[in-house]
Amino acid sequence: MFEKSTWIRLPRNVVVGHGVIDQVVDVIDDLQLQGRPLFVTSPTPREVAAEPIVTAFEATGVEPAVVTIEKATFDAVERVIETANAEDVSYLVGIGGGKAIDIAKMASYHLEMGFCSVPTAASHDGIVSNRGSVPDGDTRHSVAAEPPLAVIADTEILANAPWELTTAGCADIISNYTAVMDWRLAHRLKNVEYSEYAAALAEMTAEILVDNADLIRPGLEESAWVVTKALMSSGVAMSIAGSSRPASGAEHLFSHQLDRLAPDAALHGHQVGVGSIMTAYLHGGERGIWRDIRNALASIDAPTTADGLGIDDKTVIEALTTCHEIRDRYTILGDGMDERAAREVATKTGVID
Ligand SMILES: [Zn+2]
C-alpha cells in the first residue's frame, strides 16, 4: 500500500535581472493580489529600493503602508503585525537584506497573508526559503514561515550591495556540500526523510557556483546574477525537501552557536563557510573535499579562518563542541565533539593555528 504524499510550496513568480525593480507592480498584478500592501524594509534598502516601489504603486492609485525596522527581533515582527492590522493591508512585501525579509516572512505567516520578497543583497538563501530566523535573547530561532509568492531580485541593486554580503551568499551556497553529506548520514543512521531530487539540486547548485567562481567579482552585475540564481535554486531544493536539510547541516549549527557566543561578529554565510571546511574534514578526513571547499571560499574572498571571521580560537572550539545541542538535527557531530578532537580538526584545516 503506497501511503506517501508531499506538498511542495514554491514561489510562483521569480524575476531576476537588470532593472527588474521597475516590474514589482506588474508582478503583484500578475499574482492578482488586491488591496493595500505593507512594505517591510530597513534604513538603507528603504532609500535604494522601497521608495521607488512606493512611487510606482502611488502612480496606480495604491498607497502602500511602510514599516522600517532596525533590528531583526520578535518585537519587530510584533510591530509589523500590529501595523498590518491597523493599516488594513492585504499582503506584505519584504524589501531589504536578510533582516527585513525574515521579518516580513514571519509576520505574513502569522497574519495568514501573502508575501513577496525583494532582496537588496544576495547574502543568504532566506530570500527564497520558507523559513525565517530571528534572534531571541542569546539564541536564534528558526521558525516556519511563508514561502514568498514572488521573488524580485534586481541585479543592479544587488551588485551595489557591500561585497562581503555577496561573498557571504556564495559561502552559504558552498556549504550545501556538507549539508547534503549530513543529510545522507542522518538518513542512513536515523532514517531521516531524504529526497534524492532535493539533494542532487542542492549539490549541483554549489557545483555550478564553484565552476563560475571566476565570474564572481566586486561590482559586477554578472556576479549578482550567478549568486542570486544559486540562492533561488537552493531555496527550491529546500521547498522540494520540505525542510532546510539540503542547505543546512552541522556547519549551520556551528554558525548558529557562534551567533550566541559572539553576536554580530561575522556574517551568517561566512560562518557557515568556515564551519563547512571543518565538517567536510570530519566527513572525509585528510583526503576528503575540505580543501576544495576552502579553496572555493578563498577564491571568492570569503574567510577560511577564525581570524578571518574576527572570532577567537577559543570561541570556535566552544561552538564546535556545543552546537549539536542547539536543535534536534542529526549530523556528523553526533552527540557532540570532544574538545581535543575539535581542536584537532580546527588546527588541521587551518581554521585556527
Ligand atoms: Zn544558510
Side-chain angles (χ1 to χ4, degrees), residues 125 172 252 268:
D125 50 29
D172 206 7
H252 271 70
H268 166 80

Side-chain angles (χ1 to χ4, degrees), residues 123-126 172-173 175-176 238 247-248 251-252 256 268-269 272:
S123 57
H124 66 79
D125 50 29
D172 206 7
I173 299 293
S175 81
N176 286 3
M238 288 189 265
S248 169
E251 75 296 323
H252 271 70
H256 297 326
H268 166 80
V272 301

Side-chain angles (χ1 to χ4, degrees), residues 76-118:
V77 179
E78 274 305 311
R79 196 150 64 84
V80 171
I81 292 169
E82 280 162 24
T83 313
N85 289 326
E87 301 284 331
D88 202 20
V89 304
S90 43
Y91 61 96
L92 275 68
V93 184
I95 305 169
K99 260 186 309 192
I101 289 173
D102 269 350
I103 299 289
K105 193 191 285 177
M106 289 163 79
S108 75
Y109 181 73
H110 183 89
L111 291 158
E112 297 181 356
M113 280 180 186
F115 147 73
C116 299
S117 169
V118 183

Side-chain angles (χ1 to χ4, degrees), residues 271-290:
Q271 293 178 167
V272 301
V274 171
S276 198
I277 298 173
M278 295 187 285
T279 61
Y281 185 92
L282 292 175
H283 273 283
E286 192 51 46
R287 285 183 303 178
I289 63 160
W290 71 272

Side-chain angles (χ1 to χ4, degrees), residues 181-182 185 250 278-280 282-284 330-335 337:
M181 288 181 197
D182 281 325
L185 183 74
M278 295 187 285
T279 61
L282 292 175
H283 273 283
Y330 192 81
T331 69
I332 191 71
L333 300 173
D335 63 357
M337 278 193 90

